[in-house]
Amino acid sequence: METYDALLASISPASGTGRTILDPATGDAVGEAPIHSLEELEQAITDAQAAQPAWAALGHAGRSASLLKAAEAVERSAEELARLLSREQGKPLNGPNARFEVGACAAWLRVAATTPLEPETVVDDGETRAELHYKPIGVVGAIGPWNWPMMITVWQIAPALRMGNAVVVKPSEYTPLGVLALVKVINEELPEGLLTAVSGGRDVGARLAEHPAIGKIMFTGSTATGKAIIKSSAGTVKRLTLELGGNDAGIVLPDADPKAIAEDLFWGAFINTGQTCAALKRLYVHEDIYDAVCEDLVAVAKAMPMGNGLDENNVLGPLQNKAQYDVVANLVEAARASGARILLGGNPDTTKPGYFYPTTLVADIDNDNPLITEEQFGPALPIIRYSSVDEAVEKANALDVGLGASVWSGNRDAAREVAARLQAGTVWINRHGAVDPRIPFGGAKQSGYGLEFGIEGLKALGVPQVING
């Protein structure tokens, strides 16, 4: 285990040759990230190709043993990684934030290592025997986002490695340091060249997506970038898993208890200060309990402290970058101008440093308002009144995205009936956004395709092969 300063120094380039990464809470320098070139990407891919066959030859047992040791390595450096994550991304140490994210990295490594995947006998009738196996793809390219940079990187690399692949990681330009540090820690338990992080610009990501030696791309990010990856990968017919933008709807049925669900509603919407693809971003509440839900949500939101992530008291932090801050601010101001009612927040203090946008709740808003139809990806939740369940379902399904959704009710059977009508990859009952490494996760419509996690996630990182005879 290295100290924080030693870990940061180990991933830093020679002084003056990198790009300075700033703390979104203070504007202070966190460190310098290397600017890797296309030539360095080529070398990483060459090294991955060389390391992959021996890794594949270890079999599931050997690879799983290494991944379990990698989980232990992450835990040994957990506090140092969490501190770096908090400074670079902005999320607080406590709450469902930086320490939580690093802990999730270890958990996903362990589940990827221990999930059984045996050959499946599909026909055995005495005359024909057919078995379905999964073989390594080769080299996988993993392109990650800035909102959960460490955790989502592990979502990509853990199953890829378990299935016998080598991996080249391209972190977001906003949050490269944490991913570089995480990969360094994991590499304490892996063969050299098998896993490499290349911290470059868009040209590196574009080349990774089109490179003929890359057999699959794992991407989490915007729908627009996902579409570009689809186009650039077409020439080599790459396999793709795309987890793209979401604008998740939640429906509160009239029998729900507003006070009982208020805190879970809050964290469904405001986890990571709203910067989560599968966060609750549109809340539809029946008119009978609309005012009560609004009142209880305001009470919960007022009690959640926002500030510098290194302060142990805070559970909400800044937006990670100025561009995202502007998106949220502009959408809230457009909602205000349209006549929507701002229940809480909406007035950022621009005299203080950092991209802090206050926790904002917006009521009495039309369903075609941009704050509803566009993904805000920040701490602003619109609350829409509805009269009938049919109306709520229609509005929830109206957009061209469908990552997640939720239904809130005291009657689980009634909630499941509504859930079955929603066009989303996952529908939660009485919670929102609770992902589990054992449970498949993926989007519908333009929220992407392919599944991650569990057995299905492992299969997605292999080439299916039928042995017939």
Side-chain angles (χ1 to χ4, degrees):
M1 182 186 74
E2 296 176 292
T3 66
Y4 172 87
D5 290 338
L7 182 60
L8 184 58
S10 71
I11 60 171
S12 299
S15 180
T17 63
R19 183 169 57 88
T20 301
I21 303 298
L22 302 180
D23 185 332
T26 64
D28 296 337
V30 178
E32 282 200 359
I35 305 172
H36 290 137
S37 65
L38 291 177
E39 289 75 17
E40 287 169 301
L41 172 65
E42 291 291 339
Q43 187 61 55
I45 294 173
T46 298
D47 292 346
Q49 287 179 294
Q52 187 270 330
W55 175 251
L58 288 176
H60 285 294
R63 297 191 297 265
S64 292
S66 292
L67 292 180
L68 291 173
K69 289 180 180 178
E72 293 174 359
V74 170
E75 289 173 335
R76 287 195 299 269
S77 297
E79 191 62 20
E80 292 73 26
L81 289 170
R83 183 180 170 197
L84 178 55
L85 175 62
S86 181
R87 293 197 64 206
E88 180 181 44
Q89 201 280 335
K91 63 184 65 182
L93 291 170
N94 291 323
N97 292 299
R99 288 177 177 134
F100 168 87
E101 179 168 348
V102 175
C105 291
W108 253 266
L109 282 163
R110 285 200 172 93
V111 172
T114 57
T115 298
L117 180 60
E118 301 296 334
E120 179 185 348
T121 301
V122 291
V123 174
D124 187 3
D125 61 6
E127 295 182 5
T128 298
R129 179 178 174 82
E131 291 181 346
L132 179 59
H133 298 249
Y134 288 87
K135 314 297 284 185
I137 295 169
V139 182
V140 172
I143 304 175
W146 51 258
N147 58 330
W148 294 92
M150 292 186 185
M151 184 175 72
I152 290 177
T153 292
V154 169
W155 289 2
Q156 296 169 334
I157 67 177
L161 292 170
R162 161 65 196 281
M163 294 300 289
N165 304 294
V167 187
V168 177
V169 174
K170 162 62 173 70
S172 167
E173 294 172 73
Y174 287 114
T175 54
L177 296 175
V179 173
L180 289 167
L182 175 69
V183 168
K184 180 184 183 298
V185 168
I186 291 174
N187 271 334
E188 293 173 11
E189 303 295 343
L190 295 180
E192 187 175 354
L194 186 71
L195 172 64
T196 307
V198 180
S199 173
R202 292 186 179 182
D203 58 334
V204 170
R207 179 56 179 159
L208 187 63
E210 69 181 13
H211 199 288
I214 299 296
K216 172 154 186 165
I217 291 289
M218 303 279 289
F219 172 73
T220 296
S222 71
T223 298
T225 303
K227 290 177 179 178
I229 288 172
I230 293 169
K231 291 178 181 178
S232 61
S233 69
T236 51
V237 196
K238 289 189 193 344
R239 290 163 171 78
L240 299 174
T241 294
L242 304 175
E243 196 258 89
L244 307 179
N247 195 340
D248 290 11
I251 298 177
V252 181
L253 300 183
D255 69 341
D257 180 343
K259 195 172 295 296
I261 65 174
E263 187 165 346
D264 288 332
L265 282 172
F266 175 85
W267 282 119
F270 293 99
I271 186 172
N272 196 27
T273 316
Q275 300 166 106
T276 298
C277 293
L280 173 58
K281 299 187 175 80
R282 303 175 283 148
L283 183 61
Y284 296 91
V285 181
H286 192 272
E287 59 190 4
D288 290 353
I289 57 172
Y290 184 85
D291 292 337
V293 168
C294 289
E295 180 180 336
D296 289 324
L297 263 176
V298 168
V300 170
K302 283 182 175 179
M304 299 294 181
M306 175 183 287
N308 190 313
L310 296 181
D311 183 331
E312 298 278 353
N313 295 309
N314 292 324
V315 294
L316 299 170
L319 288 158
Q320 200 286 323
N321 55 77
K322 180 63 161 56
Q324 196 57 44
Y325 176 96
D326 289 342
V327 168
V328 176
N330 291 337
L331 287 172
V332 172
E333 286 310 303
R336 190 199 306 272
S338 74
R341 182 162 54 102
I342 309 297
L343 299 174
L344 182 71
N347 292 299
D349 185 348
T350 57
T351 66
K352 295 181 179 179
Y355 302 130
F356 290 98
Y357 195 89
T359 306
T360 300
L361 296 168
V362 181
D364 299 332
I365 183 170
D366 293 334
N367 198 57
D368 59 357
N369 191 283
L371 183 58
I372 295 170
T373 60
E374 300 176 22
E375 184 181 22
Q376 68 274 46
F377 215 71
L381 177 66
I383 310 170
I384 307 99
R385 190 190 308 262
Y386 75 87
S387 300
S388 71
V389 172
D390 287 346
E391 173 195 355
V393 170
E394 181 181 0
K395 289 180 175 178
N397 288 338
L399 301 184
D400 59 5
V401 289
L403 187 56
S406 57
V407 182
W408 305 74
S409 172
N411 184 329
R412 190 167 296 273
D413 291 338
R416 285 178 174 273
E417 289 181 8
V418 176
R421 300 171 61 188
L422 295 177
Q423 298 167 359
T426 300
V427 183
W428 292 277
I429 306 297
N430 292 329
R431 54 184 176 168
H432 195 109
V435 293
D436 185 312
R438 303 165 300 176
I439 300 173
F441 178 72
K445 297 193 279 191
Q446 291 193 34
S447 288
Y449 46 72
L451 289 172
E452 299 177 272
F453 314 161
I455 293 174
E456 297 303 321
L458 293 180
K459 290 179 178 179
L461 270 304
V463 177
Q465 181 186 55
V466 174
I467 297 178
N468 188 338

